[in-house]
Amino acid sequence: MSTGAPGSFADPRTHAGAGGDAGAGAVAGHWIDAVYRVRAAAAGIGARAQAIALEQSIEAPLAAVRDERVLREVVAQVGDIAPAGARDFDVTIRIAVETTGFEAGQLLNMLFGNTSLHDDVTLVDAVFPAEFAQGFGGPAFGIAGIRALTGAAGRPLTCSALKPQGLPSQELAKIARTFALAGIDVIKDDHGLADQAVAPFGQRVREVQRAVDEANRATGGHSVYAACLSGHYARMREQVAIAEDCGVRMFLVAPMIAGVAALAALAREANAPIIAHPALAGAARIAPPLLLGRLFRMFGADATIFPHAGGRFGYSGDVCNAIAAAAREPWHGLASTLPVPAGGMSVERVPEICAQFGADTMLLVGGSLLAARERLAERCRDFVTAVHGEAR
Amino acid sequence: MSTGAPGSFADPRTHAGAGGDAGAGAVAGHWIDAVYRVRAAAAGIGARAQAIALEQSIEAPLAAVRDERVLREVVAQVGDIAPAGARDFDVTIRIAVETTGFEAGQLLNMLFGNTSLHDDVTLVDAVFPAEFAQGFGGPAFGIAGIRALTGAAGRPLTCSALKPQGLPSQELAKIARTFALAGIDVIKDDHGLADQAVAPFGQRVREVQRAVDEANRATGGHSVYAACLSGHYARMREQVAIAEDCGVRMFLVAPMIAGVAALAALAREANAPIIAHPALAGAARIAPPLLLGRLFRMFGADATIFPHAGGRFGYSGDVCNAIAAAAREPWHGLASTLPVPAGGMSVERVPEICAQFGADTMLLVGGSLLAARERLAERCRDFVTAVHGEAR
């Protein structure tokens, strides 16, 4: 009996050549190609790759598998192993789609569940069969749906956030009214607004939606309020029902806190676009373009917020471009997801951000508007004017 | 107007001394003390700490806050800043409990939501007011409840996992039968068993529970099957109902995939102990003793699986001891959570593991038992005998 070497499932002797010839399991649409960047010495990368393949599929040594079908069609297979810089390798692991049960949480489990506990590995990419991605359905509204809802055509959209948390609902509603009067397209709850006592969810969404509605009537505009959902999925569904009764037509969800299964279900059920927030996304270990771009899109996010370069977070301009590309590029016929650069943006950066991302983008400027204090309305108008001006 | 320096909310000039004197907000039970290990130069750590305090509370520059109560009672405050090695500091941030809405997901959001996106910071600890932890309730069964259910008194418990995924339900049931006949206390689904076509949840739990029941009748034993729940919270509740109808009396949940809110709700509702699985816990960024030990315990995990030292994962023996301590030590009157060292354990290591963790532990040996193939039953008996022998 072999229990495998300590620290590894790897036993390359018994699995040689599996990556090269997938045999009967290699039917179209059978595999997801996941790419991991692995820090390893050249001499050990083959065994490390095989260990990842086992960890992310059957979670057992090959010696424990007696079933021929499991060996052929269920055990993940090692594909390409390519050097990536001096100390890393990019390892492609072919994961059987059947192991995901076609469910969002289980897909994340199969892509990175146990391997997230290994600090020598980052999940950098995943290539899905078309019918697999289509099975999830992607954004129900997407960029076109958000444009239709806000009446914003042919230009970048504008967005700001209701904060700070701790204010009572009426005070948040006043800020929302100022945003809406200035013509900001999407007014979202700060992702820290949950169901706190000082501004309970039901009271807050009623007050804020009313303020936005009144401002829209005054201006003839179409500002949309996006309410932040929190708690488990059943609680979120209750919140959706409460909010929709108040006329709310857009929602904010943090999928890595809520669980991606909740995002996937809400995207199919809520009759409103959903903005994904990156909280707890721990981007150092799953590549942001994959997680915030492609995966959140596949699970149904209509817009995806990401920390843009030059703000409070360390993402590079290239990473941000890659997130936007993953969100928007044609992909298996799914609707596009609206990229939302954020995280310390300012009105002064509007021309540069618009130049980088083009029209199919929503600019989110939050705290720096509120820092204008009594000149908030003026600063909001500057923001809107700057973005609209870029489209001319 | 100030929008703060690029890359930071920090503006220490306007918030000096906030950590030293919390003023009217400093009532007992008002604050959670979260500790972050931050990589920073000594000259910059004060500003970086203040930036974290703002990011993890109001997510806006202080200049944006006009409300006195928010400044005093809602904005997180910088506490101790202590050197931790040559390049790091341990920064204590006092987070207002009211910002959590007393909800598990929102608590995680306030502890590490946006800051998880900064790769210079790890969340290493959090100290909660007693009434805050008690509000979540902790494990409904805990170690005592799991002992009562399995009839395992005064010795470490044994656990193994049904795998590999890809086997049909009947084959998984046969393995479960072998485990139960050998007297293994807890027989859990592999965390990769979700609701796949080859072994659908309802069919699988019926077949496996029946096999375990039959074996228990034959031996007079009390082996318990723990079924793996997946999908969003509402789906998990359906699975609990299906499984309880089949007589299932224990469940496995991966809180970082399911969402911690789902764990917290299930712990209050399911009439069965819940084992937490660390999948997607990305332990490099939240200290494992905090996440797998204290937080999962507070949210209601009755047992917590962690990758033990010397197995397939890189956790040190000290980290594992700290996880076990956080799970078991007296804490705000909450029931203890059963520590479950796992991740590449073997029968040969039983004496050492028992010596390290003592009686209030469950040893999980999975793949290395299955690797015995046709001698699986014998190997299971060796496992059970070894653990029972350690208690004598």
Side-chain angles (χ1 to χ4, degrees):
Chain A
M1 189 200 83
S2 163
T3 57
S8 171
F9 277 143
D11 187 357
R13 292 164 300 173
T14 58
H15 204 58
D21 177 9
V27 294
H30 188 91
W31 304 102
I32 297 161
D33 283 353
V35 182
Y36 302 88
R37 186 153 295 174
V38 184
R39 178 142 296 182
I45 187 62
R48 187 74 189 87
Q50 179 58 24
I52 294 170
L54 295 176
E55 195 72 60
Q56 292 309 120
S57 56
I58 58 167
E59 205 197 336
L62 276 178
V65 183
R66 307 172 73 172
D67 186 287
E68 282 302 317
R69 192 193 80 84
V70 171
L71 284 172
R72 203 171 56 235
E73 299 181 14
V74 178
V75 174
Q77 304 183 344
V78 177
D80 285 347
I81 299 179
R87 298 171 59 194
D88 295 338
F89 291 87
D90 279 352
V91 173
T92 299
I93 303 289
R94 312 181 76 200
I95 295 171
V97 295
E98 72 169 79
T99 65
T100 70
F102 304 92
E103 190 274 306
Q106 173 65 4
L107 169 59
L108 217 51
N109 193 15
M110 290 295 97
L111 286 174
F112 205 51
N114 274 9
T115 294
S116 79
L117 301 167
H118 280 124
D119 60 12
D120 61 341
V121 185
T122 300
L123 174 63
V124 292
D125 203 2
V127 179
F128 303 102
E131 60 270 38
F132 184 81
Q134 288 156 2
F136 281 97
F141 291 81
I143 293 177
I146 293 174
R147 286 200 183 282
L149 200 58
T150 55
R155 60 160 175 83
L157 286 82
T158 51
C159 179
S160 195
L162 300 176
K163 57 175 92 173
Q165 65 161 302
L167 292 182
S169 301
Q170 297 81 351
E171 294 300 315
L172 293 167
K174 279 186 197 169
I175 296 172
R177 178 183 159 83
T178 303
F179 286 160
L181 286 173
I184 288 175
D185 296 310
V186 174
I187 298 158
K188 75 169 192 66
D189 279 338
D190 191 25
H191 83 291
L193 293 180
D195 193 15
Q196 293 100 340
V198 68
F201 182 87
Q203 181 197 70
R204 180 176 86 242
V205 300
R206 188 177 61 245
E207 299 278 346
V208 170
Q209 185 63 51
R210 182 191 297 154
V212 171
D213 286 343
E214 286 172 4
N216 280 338
R217 278 194 294 274
T219 64
H222 300 87
S223 293
V224 174
Y225 166 50
C228 181
L229 306 178
S230 63
H232 55 62
Y233 165 76
R235 179 67 190 126
M236 288 181 157
R237 282 193 71 172
E238 292 169 7
Q239 290 175 341
V240 167
I242 291 167
E244 289 187 341
D245 271 353
C246 299
V248 172
R249 293 171 299 159
M250 198 177 291
F251 295 99
L252 181 78
V253 172
M256 299 311 286
I257 292 174
V260 289
L263 167 63
L266 290 167
R268 300 277 73 80
E269 296 162 2
N271 190 27
I274 296 172
I275 305 173
H277 190 284
L280 211 69
R285 303 293 308 288
I286 303 182
L290 174 62
L291 184 62
L292 308 183
R294 190 159 301 132
L295 287 174
F296 285 2
R297 178 183 182 183
M298 189 164 81
F299 298 151
D302 297 283
T304 185
I305 297 172
F306 59 90
H308 186 41
R312 301 194 311 274
F313 300 85
Y315 287 25
S316 70
D318 286 347
V319 165
C320 296
N321 282 334
I323 294 170
R328 293 189 300 201
E329 67 196 2
W331 190 57
H332 296 328
L334 300 190
S336 297
T337 296
L338 187 64
V340 188
M345 300 299 101
S346 63
V347 175
E348 287 68 24
R349 290 190 60 189
V350 164
E352 165 218 334
I353 297 171
C354 290
Q356 180 171 354
F357 294 105
D360 278 343
T361 300
M362 180 155 71
L363 283 77
L364 169 51
V365 180
S368 83
L369 293 181
L370 293 166
R373 301 173 74 105
E374 64 279 3
R375 295 193 299 110
L376 175 62
E378 178 188 334
R379 198 69 184 146
C380 290
R381 287 192 299 272
D382 292 345
F383 174 35
V384 169
T385 303
V387 174
H388 292 207
E390 288 301 314
R392 286 189 204 107
Chain B
M1 189 200 81
S2 163
T3 57
S8 171
F9 277 142
D11 188 359
R13 292 163 300 172
T14 58
H15 205 59
D21 177 8
V27 294
H30 188 91
W31 304 102
I32 296 161
D33 282 353
V35 182
Y36 302 88
R37 184 152 298 173
V38 184
R39 178 141 298 183
I45 188 62
R48 187 74 189 87
Q50 178 58 24
I52 295 170
L54 294 176
E55 194 72 60
Q56 292 310 119
S57 57
I58 58 167
E59 205 199 333
L62 277 178
V65 182
R66 307 172 73 172
D67 186 285
E68 282 302 318
R69 192 192 81 83
V70 171
L71 284 172
R72 202 171 58 236
E73 299 181 16
V74 179
V75 174
Q77 304 183 343
V78 177
D80 286 347
I81 299 179
R87 298 170 59 194
D88 295 337
F89 291 86
D90 279 353
V91 173
T92 300
I93 304 288
R94 312 181 77 200
I95 296 171
V97 296
E98 72 168 78
T99 66
T100 70
F102 305 92
E103 191 274 305
Q106 174 64 5
L107 169 59
L108 217 50
N109 192 14
M110 289 297 96
L111 285 174
F112 205 51
N114 274 7
T115 293
S116 79
L117 302 167
H118 280 124
D119 61 11
D120 60 342
V121 185
T122 300
L123 174 63
V124 292
D125 203 2
V127 178
F128 303 102
E131 61 270 38
F132 184 81
Q134 288 156 2
F136 280 98
F141 291 81
I143 293 177
I146 293 175
R147 287 200 183 283
L149 200 57
T150 55
R155 59 160 174 83
L157 286 82
T158 52
C159 179
S160 194
L162 299 176
K163 56 174 95 175
Q165 65 160 301
L167 292 182
S169 301
Q170 297 82 348
E171 294 301 314
L172 293 167
K174 279 185 197 168
I175 297 172
R177 180 184 158 82
T178 303
F179 286 160
L181 286 173
I184 288 176
D185 296 310
V186 174
I187 298 159
K188 75 169 192 66
D189 279 339
D190 190 26
H191 83 291
L193 293 180
D195 192 15
Q196 293 99 342
V198 69
F201 182 87
Q203 182 196 71
R204 181 177 84 242
V205 299
R206 187 176 63 243
E207 299 278 345
V208 170
Q209 186 62 51
R210 183 189 298 154
V212 171
D213 286 343
E214 286 171 4
N216 281 339
R217 277 195 294 273
T219 63
H222 300 87
S223 293
V224 175
Y225 166 51
C228 180
L229 305 177
S230 63
H232 55 62
Y233 165 75
R235 179 68 191 127
M236 288 181 159
R237 282 193 71 172
E238 291 170 7
Q239 291 175 342
V240 166
I242 291 167
E244 289 187 340
D245 271 354
C246 299
V248 172
R249 293 171 300 158
M250 198 177 290
F251 295 100
L252 181 77
V253 171
M256 299 310 284
I257 292 175
V260 289
L263 167 62
L266 290 167
R268 299 278 72 80
E269 296 162 1
N271 189 28
I274 295 172
I275 306 173
H277 190 283
L280 211 70
R285 305 293 307 288
I286 302 182
L290 174 62
L291 185 62
L292 309 183
R294 191 159 299 132
L295 286 174
F296 284 3
R297 177 183 182 183
M298 189 163 80
F299 298 151
D302 297 282
T304 185
I305 297 173
F306 59 90
H308 186 41
R312 301 194 310 274
F313 300 85
Y315 287 25
S316 71
D318 285 348
V319 165
C320 296
N321 282 334
I323 294 170
R328 294 189 299 201
E329 67 196 1
W331 190 58
H332 295 329
L334 300 191
S336 297
T337 296
L338 186 63
V340 188
M345 301 298 101
S346 63
V347 175
E348 287 68 25
R349 290 190 60 189
V350 164
E352 165 218 334
I353 298 170
C354 290
Q356 180 170 354
F357 294 104
D360 279 343
T361 300
M362 181 156 71
L363 283 76
L364 169 50
V365 181
S368 84
L369 292 182
L370 294 167
R373 302 172 73 107
E374 64 279 4
R375 296 194 298 112
L376 175 62
E378 177 187 337
R379 200 68 184 145
C380 290
R381 288 192 298 271
D382 291 346
F383 174 37
V384 170
T385 303
V387 173
H388 292 207
E390 288 301 314
R392 287 191 204 107

